[in-house]
Amino acid sequence: PRSAAGTSAPAAKAPASAGKPVTCEGSVTRTVAAPLNRPVNHMLLTVTNTGSRTCYLYGYPAVRFGEAQAVPPVIGDSQPQAVVTLAPGESGYASVALSATDGSGTNGHTVKSLTVYFQGRSGNESVGTGAHPSLPAKGVYVDDSLKVTYWQQSMDDAVSW
């Protein structure tokens, strides 16, 4: 069918969930990093699907604070039962343990930048573009005890680790 302007237009607007689900990554999401008061020394990553198709948050966030070379390990027990699935507008969560609460962590330092990379289905590599959520102006303090949770469907699950 043609619209009044003479250009071709779809007969009906496709539902928001049209098309196959995609892997969540930087270009189809918005990522926010927010320091938490509880648990202490933790940060919550919130990824919101800004695309038009459902996306899957596989595995866990590969976070890079500052100039770090290595990706922090994941807390194995935090693995959810199923892949986190985000319909358009929905959010998924992961928490980051930034530093040891008892001061036992080594090489502590303040970082001012964060990049979050997204895993593909295989979990072996990052896919798409990374996200660059802003950190507090004063930066965040991290040490060698840094670790992350798997992506979670609920904020409560993410912060329970």
Side-chain angles (χ1 to χ4, degrees):
R2 296 196 170 274
S3 69
T7 56
S8 167
K13 190 174 182 316
S17 59
K20 287 197 166 100
V22 296
T23 299
C24 299
E25 44 93 7
S27 69
V28 297
T29 58
R30 183 180 73 250
T31 302
V32 175
L36 294 169
N37 293 326
R38 267 185 230 146
V40 69
N41 300 2
H42 279 61
M43 171 177 281
L44 180 69
L45 297 176
T46 302
V47 171
T48 303
N49 181 355
T50 57
S52 58
R53 296 194 285 182
T54 294
C55 71
Y56 295 128
L57 269 177
Y58 293 108
Y60 56 93
V63 295
R64 183 175 174 202
F65 284 94
E67 299 304 308
Q69 299 304 309
V71 167
V74 68
I75 300 166
D77 289 347
S78 69
Q79 185 161 11
Q81 300 282 318
V83 171
V84 174
T85 303
L86 304 182
E90 286 186 340
S91 298
Y93 308 89
S95 65
V96 183
L98 299 168
S99 57
T101 50
D102 60 6
S104 64
T106 54
N107 296 319
H109 59 286
T110 299
V111 292
K112 303 279 182 103
S113 67
L114 168 61
T115 307
V116 178
Y117 297 101
F118 297 89
Q119 294 185 346
R121 181 175 301 192
S122 70
N124 295 337
E125 75 288 304
S126 59
V127 296
T129 54
H132 301 277
S134 57
L135 295 177
K138 66 181 185 349
V140 294
Y141 182 82
V142 298
D143 67 24
D144 288 347
S145 66
L146 191 65
K147 32 186 192 310
V148 301
T149 65
Y150 282 93
W151 291 114
Q152 307 292 330
Q153 199 83 47
S154 86
M155 188 185 307
D156 287 348
D157 289 343
V159 300
S160 65
W161 301 97

